Amino acid sequence: MAVERLVVVGGDAAGMSAASQARRLKGPAELEIVAFERGHFTSYSACGIPYWVGGEVGGRDELIARTPEEHRARGIDLRTRTEVVELDVAGRRVRSRDLESGAESWTGYDKLVLATGARPVRPKLPGIGAHGVHGVQSLDDGQRLVDDLERTRGRRAVVAGAGYIGVEMAEALVNRGFEVTVLHRGPQPMSTLDPDMGGLVHSAMNAMGIVTVADADVAKILTDEEGRARAVATADGREYPADVVVLGIGVEPRTALARAAGLPLGESGGLLTDLSMRVRGHEDIWAGGDCVEVLDLVAGRTRHIPLGTHANKHGQVIGSNAGGGYATFPGVVGTAVSKVCDLEIARTGLREKDAREAGLRYVTAAIRSTNTAGYYPGAREMTVKMLAERRTGRLLGVQIVGGAGSAKRVDIAAVALTAGMTVEQVVSLDLGYAPPFSPVWDPVLVAARKAVSAVRSAGV
Amino acid sequence: MAVERLVVVGGDAAGMSAASQARRLKGPAELEIVAFERGHFTSYSACGIPYWVGGEVGGRDELIARTPEEHRARGIDLRTRTEVVELDVAGRRVRSRDLESGAESWTGYDKLVLATGARPVRPKLPGIGAHGVHGVQSLDDGQRLVDDLERTRGRRAVVAGAGYIGVEMAEALVNRGFEVTVLHRGPQPMSTLDPDMGGLVHSAMNAMGIVTVADADVAKILTDEEGRARAVATADGREYPADVVVLGIGVEPRTALARAAGLPLGESGGLLTDLSMRVRGHEDIWAGGDCVEVLDLVAGRTRHIPLGTHANKHGQVIGSNAGGGYATFPGVVGTAVSKVCDLEIARTGLREKDAREAGLRYVTAAIRSTNTAGYYPGAREMTVKMLAERRTGRLLGVQIVGGAGSAKRVDIAAVALTAGMTVEQVVSLDLGYAPPFSPVWDPVLVAARKAVSAVRSAGV
């Protein structure tokens, strides 16, 4: 039997999980695996970068789950600092460039995995390319930022954007001794939450000394004579002095290669796949991780949701299929958790905005409770907001902000959303109770009770 | 319209939740509510007693959610220190005794709620009634124990039993400065877990200085000349000196009243109800809380599972129905959480023993992971054991022991059990991920992956 060749483009979570899983299923005698990675590193936790920057994680290498050498030792022909610059679908081959030497060559494939990830949004603004302006998407990005923070004498940082990355980077920079200003669009930080819930995050950020500026539209980066960022100017003419600027505006799928090759892309520019993570219409090309759109099971559409946990699952599924097995990725419900200082932040399912966009009518219920029995020492506030569909009472989404135990509580709702439960069914769930862990009515259940009332009051 | 009378027997979680909910739905002009309670207190958290004994909760009153006076102010005719001693179902009346004066009287009812709770198992052993031997089921029990601990000069405590109550009381007594020995049946403490998981609890208890004695069969309590406990003797003739003895052997439904009245009881002695919490075959009698058996949805049978969280839900359902509304309690999946020191302990669904008793064939999978990303500071071990049905792969149960975040993670499985998910479906769940809260593959998902393999290997 001829040896097949699997080519993997991108050496982080999705790509190397796929390569590793395929290798588990098929040995080198059956399957040759070649993986290309632009950067220096493989299989790292990009989500851990804020904690490395903030000094909670000792060093870069702790974020690396598996080094290039370890992958090679497992029979994967991994080529780092090598960028794939062209995909020839008809010819079943990719053209790659050695980023050190500039040398290029073509590599043929029988099976292809695209795991090219995402890149930070860099709006085309004056000065956006200046020294001192950083994205934090890859470990190479993180290393450049850490090096810069160590060199720079100034102590003023501006973070553009207040989504997960922006908020986590703001905290990290505070922990590193910077004065931090966060410029964000909209009325509240954390626009992945509804504004009423984002307001709670706002207060917590201010309490830790972070300045937040609402409705801020970044217009340009002002630079000094050496071409280094010195301030961020917003559209209303205000200037925010900055010795370092971190872009947390969001990321976009890195799919120029796929686009040029004519592969199907969604509205976000992410690749579109079937349930086995195969690129739609292409028998032998799979794609996963931050370069694809995933099916949002609650909204009933695909979305770009770049998260390491999805990327790892995609890789596992792709590797199983490319290795001759069978697996699927059924979709997501939109779960995400984070924290700022000791305030935990979580969401799953739809925000109000998402529900409207999905064409759903809904009611909301928000409640305040505590993370433990109220009398238990150290009890902290927990706020839970729930969305339910009008008429049917189907659970549509949950947002939680509060003390310890708030973030992962959202998993209860994530499972209930997956199962299509109504809020009435949620009320009856048999959740763990003991005074150190929950009030006798878990806050999620209290929110569900209120949502049941809201559904009834709203009628049909 | 004539005023109906609702009589409630038992003034803790189930009874007073029922009374309060009925009062919300119907005012005093429509419904008279009379509630009888043997003790001094109402609506308290019995689950909080170990934390009060251990000194973490400041005082008894913090455990009381609503005092008798507060209930009375809401239009409930609450009679404390008054025990119902006879139920006349045909005559629709109860006979009660004032425990202070001894006076008795009959009270008629249109609707009746039985919420008589549970009582600590007190095997008929020599000395079991001695001074210094304590159950910890009611707030009155807790008060007697706390008073005794304050008076007694000795510092040696023996806890009989190592279920939730035994383990929590052992920790409480250590926190209070006692030398604690726990005598338990079987090979490991925490028999609510499989022995392999109980072994982890065993180690943690020993590490905090608690002596545990396996396969210990308590035979008698030895007393001094004043009739006070001085040691516990086991069947094998060993003696364990004790200045105070706490019974954590378990509790049994307090249903002598119901039994005498001919109401239907299950194998445990708990009352049997329908899904609206009505006593089977009795139109106008409801029962809830620790005196009933609940439907275990996974095992497919009723069981006695005395937990405050169920009692509160029962009360809510009963009050809705007795107040002219409609609600049901569909059953439980067997979720319970606890902790010993900073080791969290959780279970839901079936243990191996339960699965065998239920006639199910199963496979198991156990994994070790961490409660946060492995590189995140303070990462702690988490062990997850999963049971899945052979052939179908249906999730049957999960047990978790580990650091912070272990206990409430069991809720993921509790919801999945309720939804009847397979372990393959569990693998695809969209759970919250960020480095401070989880590895990129949540430990529950890792266990599910292993369980999927186990199901496949086991074949049909």
Side-chain angles (χ1 to χ4, degrees):
Chain A
M1 197 175 79
V3 177
E4 282 198 315
R5 184 184 290 148
L6 172 67
V7 166
V8 176
V9 185
D12 195 13
M16 297 319 292
S17 288
S20 302
Q21 176 67 3
R23 179 50 81 225
R24 252 174 243 127
L25 297 177
K26 285 194 173 167
E30 287 182 286
L31 187 70
E32 180 189 355
I33 304 179
V34 181
F36 296 98
E37 164 58 38
R38 309 160 62 235
H40 297 82
F41 310 104
T42 52
S43 302
Y44 54 86
S45 170
C47 324
I49 294 174
Y51 308 100
W52 167 32
V53 172
E56 287 160 284
V57 173
R60 184 192 68 203
D61 293 349
E62 293 187 33
L63 301 184
I64 298 173
R66 204 171 274 181
T67 64
E69 295 66 37
E70 289 170 319
H71 284 298
R72 289 180 191 122
R74 281 159 211 257
I76 296 168
D77 177 1
L78 175 66
R79 306 179 191 175
T80 50
R81 295 292 290 148
T82 307
E83 182 163 17
V84 172
V85 292
E86 189 182 346
L87 163 58
D88 173 9
V89 171
R92 298 171 86 87
R93 57 182 192 159
V94 296
R95 182 160 59 90
S96 63
R97 179 183 298 148
D98 182 320
L99 294 178
E100 307 294 343
S101 69
E104 295 197 349
S105 62
W106 285 98
T107 306
Y109 65 78
D110 298 293
K111 293 172 173 174
L112 179 69
V113 176
L114 296 173
T116 46
R119 61 177 174 199
V121 172
R122 280 188 182 249
K124 290 191 176 58
L125 301 175
I128 194 84
H131 290 298
V133 180
H134 296 274
V136 283
Q137 184 61 13
S138 70
L139 211 51
D140 284 295
D141 291 341
Q143 186 65 66
R144 275 189 290 270
L145 173 60
V146 167
D147 292 345
D148 198 15
L149 293 175
E150 279 167 5
R151 269 197 310 267
T152 193
R153 273 192 301 277
R155 277 287 164 267
R156 290 166 307 181
V158 169
V159 177
Y164 292 103
I165 295 173
V167 166
E168 287 168 3
M169 286 308 304
E171 180 184 348
L173 291 162
V174 166
N175 287 344
R176 216 179 167 98
F178 280 75
E179 290 169 31
V180 180
T181 301
V182 175
L183 308 178
H184 63 86
R185 291 188 172 166
Q188 297 291 357
M190 222 55 208
S191 61
T192 51
L193 304 179
D194 284 324
D196 50 348
M197 298 296 280
L200 302 174
V201 180
H202 186 164
S203 308
M205 291 174 75
N206 293 167
M208 67 185 294
I210 298 169
V211 176
T212 57
V213 182
D215 300 314
D217 191 6
V218 173
K220 59 182 165 187
I221 313 289
L222 306 176
T223 53
D224 62 17
E225 55 279 10
E226 290 164 3
R228 184 175 172 91
R230 63 169 180 82
V232 178
T234 49
D236 58 6
R238 283 183 288 181
E239 291 184 11
Y240 299 89
D243 302 299
V244 65
V245 178
V246 173
L247 300 177
I249 302 171
V251 298
E252 56 195 11
R254 192 187 287 276
T255 49
L257 201 65
R259 185 185 297 274
L263 299 185
L265 304 180
E267 280 176 56
S268 71
L271 277 153
L272 296 175
T273 74
D274 67 13
L275 293 170
S276 73
M277 301 309 295
R278 225 167 33 184
V279 173
R280 291 189 196 168
H282 292 265
E283 191 68 26
D284 294 317
I285 308 179
W286 288 265
D290 290 1
C291 68
V292 304
E293 290 193 355
V294 292
L295 179 60
D296 180 330
L297 296 164
V298 191
R301 53 163 293 181
T302 59
R303 281 180 199 280
H304 184 233
I305 305 182
L307 275 179
T309 187
H310 300 334
N312 274 277
K313 285 182 193 159
H314 293 169
Q316 184 85 12
V317 167
I318 292 170
S320 294
N321 293 322
Y326 170 62
T328 62
F329 182 81
V332 305
V333 294
T335 312
V337 299
S338 186
K339 75 175 185 72
V340 52
C341 205
D342 58 354
L343 188 77
E344 301 188 2
I345 306 163
R347 59 155 285 177
T348 189
L350 308 180
R351 297 166 297 179
E352 295 198 41
K353 181 171 175 282
D354 304 320
R356 284 192 297 270
E357 285 177 10
L360 296 169
R361 296 203 187 168
Y362 62 91
V363 296
T364 67
I367 62 98
R368 279 188 190 190
S369 180
T370 49
N371 58 344
T372 66
Y375 56 78
Y376 196 77
R380 289 272 313 275
E381 192 170 281
M382 185 184 303
T383 303
V384 180
K385 178 174 179 174
M386 193 171 279
L387 272 72
E389 192 180 19
R390 273 185 75 143
R391 199 167 53 82
T392 69
R394 184 167 59 101
L395 179 68
L396 293 179
V398 168
Q399 297 163 53
I400 309 181
V401 174
S406 297
K408 285 293 274 179
R409 240 181 192 85
V410 85
D411 287 346
I412 297 163
V415 187
L417 281 168
T418 305
M421 286 185 181
T422 64
V423 286
E424 193 126 19
Q425 288 175 304
V426 172
V427 173
S428 297
L429 286 172
D430 181 8
L431 303 180
Y433 161 64
F437 303 115
S438 175
V440 72
W441 283 93
D442 190 280
V444 172
L445 302 185
V446 177
R449 277 168 62 183
K450 194 166 177 186
V452 167
S453 297
V455 170
R456 286 192 191 147
S457 306
V460 296
Chain B
M1 197 174 79
V3 177
E4 281 198 316
R5 184 186 290 150
L6 172 67
V7 166
V8 176
V9 185
D12 194 13
M16 297 320 292
S17 288
S20 301
Q21 176 67 3
R23 176 53 80 227
R24 254 175 241 126
L25 298 177
K26 286 195 170 165
E30 285 182 286
L31 186 70
E32 181 189 355
I33 304 179
V34 181
F36 296 98
E37 163 58 38
R38 309 160 61 236
H40 296 84
F41 310 106
T42 52
S43 301
Y44 55 86
S45 170
C47 324
I49 294 174
Y51 309 100
W52 166 35
V53 172
E56 289 160 283
V57 172
R60 184 192 69 204
D61 292 350
E62 294 187 34
L63 301 183
I64 298 173
R66 205 171 274 179
T67 63
E69 292 67 36
E70 289 170 319
H71 283 299
R72 289 182 191 121
R74 288 171 153 86
I76 295 167
D77 177 1
L78 174 67
R79 306 179 191 173
T80 49
R81 296 292 289 147
T82 307
E83 182 164 19
V84 172
V85 292
E86 188 182 348
L87 162 58
D88 172 10
V89 172
R92 299 172 84 86
R93 57 181 192 159
V94 297
R95 183 162 56 94
S96 63
R97 179 183 300 147
D98 182 319
L99 294 177
E100 308 293 343
S101 69
E104 296 198 348
S105 63
W106 285 97
T107 307
Y109 64 78
D110 298 291
K111 294 172 172 173
L112 178 69
V113 176
L114 295 174
T116 45
R119 61 177 174 197
V121 172
R122 281 189 181 247
K124 288 190 178 58
L125 301 174
I128 194 82
H131 290 298
V133 180
H134 296 273
V136 282
Q137 184 62 12
S138 71
L139 212 49
D140 284 293
D141 291 341
Q143 186 65 66
R144 274 187 292 269
L145 173 60
V146 167
D147 291 345
D148 197 15
L149 294 175
E150 279 167 7
R151 268 196 310 266
T152 191
R153 272 193 301 274
R155 277 287 165 268
R156 291 167 306 183
V158 168
V159 177
Y164 292 103
I165 295 174
V167 166
E168 288 168 3
M169 286 308 304
E171 181 184 347
L173 290 163
V174 166
N175 288 344
R176 216 179 167 98
F178 280 75
E179 291 169 31
V180 180
T181 300
V182 175
L183 308 177
H184 61 87
R185 291 187 170 166
Q188 298 291 357
M190 219 59 205
S191 61
T192 51
L193 304 178
D194 283 326
D196 50 349
M197 298 295 281
L200 302 173
V201 180
H202 185 164
S203 308
M205 291 174 75
N206 293 167
M208 67 185 293
I210 297 169
V211 176
T212 57
V213 182
D215 300 313
D217 192 7
V218 174
K220 60 182 164 186
I221 314 288
L222 307 176
T223 52
D224 63 16
E225 57 278 9
E226 289 164 5
R228 185 174 170 91
R230 63 169 181 82
V232 177
T234 50
D236 58 6
R238 283 184 289 181
E239 290 184 13
Y240 300 89
D243 301 300
V244 66
V245 178
V246 173
L247 300 177
I249 303 172
V251 298
E252 57 193 11
R254 191 188 288 276
T255 48
L257 200 65
R259 185 184 297 274
L263 300 186
L265 304 181
E267 280 177 56
S268 72
L271 277 153
L272 296 175
T273 73
D274 66 15
L275 293 169
S276 72
M277 301 307 296
R278 226 168 30 185
V279 172
R280 291 190 196 166
H282 292 265
E283 191 67 28
D284 294 316
I285 307 180
W286 289 265
D290 290 0
C291 68
V292 305
E293 291 194 355
V294 293
L295 179 60
D296 180 329
L297 296 164
V298 191
R301 55 164 290 181
T302 59
R303 279 179 200 283
H304 184 233
I305 305 182
L307 275 178
T309 187
H310 301 333
N312 273 277
K313 286 181 191 157
H314 293 169
Q316 185 86 13
V317 166
I318 293 171
S320 294
N321 292 322
Y326 171 63
T328 62
F329 183 82
V332 305
V333 294
T335 312
V337 299
S338 185
K339 75 177 186 69
V340 52
C341 205
D342 58 354
L343 188 78
E344 299 188 4
I345 306 162
R347 59 156 286 177
T348 190
L350 309 181
R351 296 165 298 177
E352 296 198 42
K353 181 171 173 284
D354 304 320
R356 285 192 297 271
E357 285 177 8
L360 296 169
R361 296 204 187 168
Y362 63 90
V363 297
T364 67
I367 62 98
R368 279 190 191 188
S369 180
T370 49
N371 57 344
T372 66
Y375 57 77
Y376 196 78
R380 289 272 314 274
E381 192 170 281
M382 186 184 305
T383 304
V384 180
K385 177 173 180 175
M386 193 172 279
L387 271 72
E389 192 180 18
R390 275 185 74 144
R391 195 166 57 80
T392 70
R394 185 167 58 102
L395 179 68
L396 293 180
V398 168
Q399 296 163 53
I400 309 180
V401 174
S406 297
K408 285 293 274 180
R409 242 182 191 82
V410 84
D411 287 346
I412 296 163
V415 187
L417 281 168
T418 305
M421 288 185 180
T422 64
V423 286
E424 193 127 17
Q425 288 175 304
V426 172
V427 173
S428 297
L429 286 173
D430 182 8
L431 304 181
Y433 160 64
F437 304 115
S438 177
V440 72
W441 282 94
D442 191 280
V444 172
L445 303 185
V446 178
R449 277 168 61 183
K450 192 164 178 188
V452 167
S453 298
V455 170
R456 287 193 191 144
S457 307
V460 295

